[in-house]
Amino acid sequence: MKEVLVETSARHIHLSREAVDVLFGAGYELTKRKDLSQPGQYACAEKLEVVGPKGKLKASILGPTRPASQVELSLTDARTIGVTAPIRESGDTAGSAACKLVNPENGAELELTEGVIIAKRHIHLTPEAAAEMGVTDKQIVSVRIESERTAVLGDVVIRVSEKFAPAMHIDTDEANACCAFGTVYGTIVD
Amino acid sequence: MKEVLVETSARHIHLSREAVDVLFGAGYELTKRKDLSQPGQYACAEKLEVVGPKGKLKASILGPTRPASQVELSLTDARTIGVTAPIRESGDTAGSAACKLVNPENGAELELTEGVIIAKRHIHLTPEAAAEMGVTDKQIVSVRIESERTAVLGDVVIRVSEKFAPAMHIDTDEANACCAFGTVYGTIVD
C-alpha cells in the first residue's frame, strides 16, 4: 500500500522560547487551540504578523517551542510580503530569509535575521509505514494526486521517525495547483 | 517535438466595452502598456480592485475588450477575497462567481454577477504546432515541468487556433507549485 494522507500546511510560525518571551512577555505560555496530526504538535490561539519589505500577513503559531524560530510561507505569501525565501526542509534554516514578527495585540516586535523558508514537500512516516511502502528516510519520491487538477508532484522527501504519524505535507500553492481539498490521499508512484 | 513554453498568468481582468464605460467613463480607451505573447493581446496601464466578501486585490486589465467581462484569479486569490470560483476555460463564465470591480482612481464601481473563474490550465497552439505535436483541440494532456519542484500537471486542455502563439498558461499557484519561474519549457507526456 503506497497511499498516504495529504495534508495542507497554511503559513505558520514556530517560535523559540526566547522569541515567545520577546513577543508575549517573559515566561508566557502559548494557548493550545487544537492538536495537529503530528503527535505533540498543536496550533495556538495566538497569531502574529509576518512583516516583509512589501507587506505583512497574519500567521498562526504552532507549538511547542523549538530550538530556533522558523516561519513557513508559500511562495505566493513570500512574494506578497516581498521576501525571497529558499525551499528547505524544516529545521534547515541557516542562511534562509529574514523577516520581522509583530504581535498585533501588544506591538512587540522581533527581527529574525534568518528562519523564513518555503517548506520542501515531504511525507512523515513511522519506520513501520516506511518499511511497508518500501521507502527510506531522505528518499526523494513522486506522489500522484487525483482531482479536478490531477498532478504528480516530484521532489517529495521522505522523513522517517517514531515520533511521526503518516502524512504528506504540502503548502497552499501546491494544494491549489492539484485541488487537494478535504480528505485526500496521494499515491507514491516512484 | 512536444516541448512548449510555459507562461504564468497572474490574476487579471478582461472587460467588456460596457464595463469600461462604467468604470472609466463613456468611450474611454484603455492604455496599452505592453504586448503579451498571444497575438493582439496586451496588458493595460490601468488597474482595478477585485472586491469580494473578505477582501480586495489589485489586478491588471488585459485588452482588447471582450464580449463579456471576466476575472481570472488563482485559488489563493479567491480564498483571500472570500470568493468561491469554479475552474473553467476562458469564456465559459455562465454561473461562475460574482465580485465587485472598483476603479481606485475615480471610485467607480461595477458589480459582476458572474465572470470570476480560476483558469483551467491550457496550451495555446496553432494548427501547425498541434499537428507537429500530435494533439488536437480540446484534448486533455499532462505536461512535465522539470525544476526544483518537478511536477507533471494533468488536466491540461489543448486549445487550437490560427490566432494563437504556442504557449502553456498556468496560474501563480501552479507556477509556485512547480517552480516554473523565468523561461521554462514543459514536455507533453501523455
Side-chain angles (χ1 to χ4, degrees), chain A residues 76 121 150 152 154-155 176-177, chain B residues 76 121 150 152 154-155 171 176-177:
Chain A
T76 297
R121 46 201 183 213
T150 289
V152 178
D155 293 309
N176 288 334
Chain B
T76 296
R121 44 201 184 216
T150 290
V152 178
D155 293 309
D171 69 20
N176 288 334

Side-chain angles (χ1 to χ4, degrees), chain A residues 63-137:
Chain A
T65 56
R66 294 191 176 186
S69 295
Q70 177 173 302
V71 178
E72 297 181 41
L73 302 178
S74 72
L75 280 159
T76 297
D77 294 334
R79 191 183 174 91
T80 298
I81 65 169
V83 164
T84 304
I87 297 170
R88 295 278 186 86
E89 283 189 62
S90 184
D92 177 17
T93 55
S96 60
C99 76
K100 185 166 71 177
L101 297 178
V102 176
N103 180 344
E105 299 298 322
N106 64 8
E109 298 187 358
L110 175 64
E111 292 280 355
L112 294 184
T113 55
E114 63 182 26
V116 184
I117 63 168
I118 314 301
K120 187 176 172 76
R121 46 201 183 213
H122 58 278
I123 301 177
H124 294 276
L125 291 175
T126 59
E128 296 70 31
E132 228 177 86
M133 296 188 186
V135 296
T136 54
D137 191 43

Side-chain angles (χ1 to χ4, degrees), chain B residues 12-13 30-37 40-46 60-64:
Chain B
H12 63 269
I13 302 165
L30 293 165
T31 315
K32 185 190 287 196
R33 184 171 58 81
K34 68 167 182 180
D35 286 313
L36 300 175
S37 67
Q41 304 292 304
Y42 52 88
C44 300
E46 295 85 355
S60 293
I61 302 167
L62 303 192

Side-chain angles (χ1 to χ4, degrees), chain B residues 112-128:
Chain B
L112 294 184
T113 56
E114 63 182 27
V116 184
I117 64 168
I118 315 299
K120 188 177 173 76
R121 44 201 184 216
H122 57 278
I123 302 175
H124 294 276
L125 292 175
T126 57
E128 296 69 30

Side-chain angles (χ1 to χ4, degrees), chain B residues 4 19-20 25 38 45 51 60-61 68 82 92 97 121 131 155 172 180 182 185 187:
Chain B
V4 64
V20 175
Q38 294 307 309
V51 184
S60 293
I61 302 167
D92 177 18
R121 44 201 184 216
D155 293 309
T172 47
Y185 287 81
T187 308

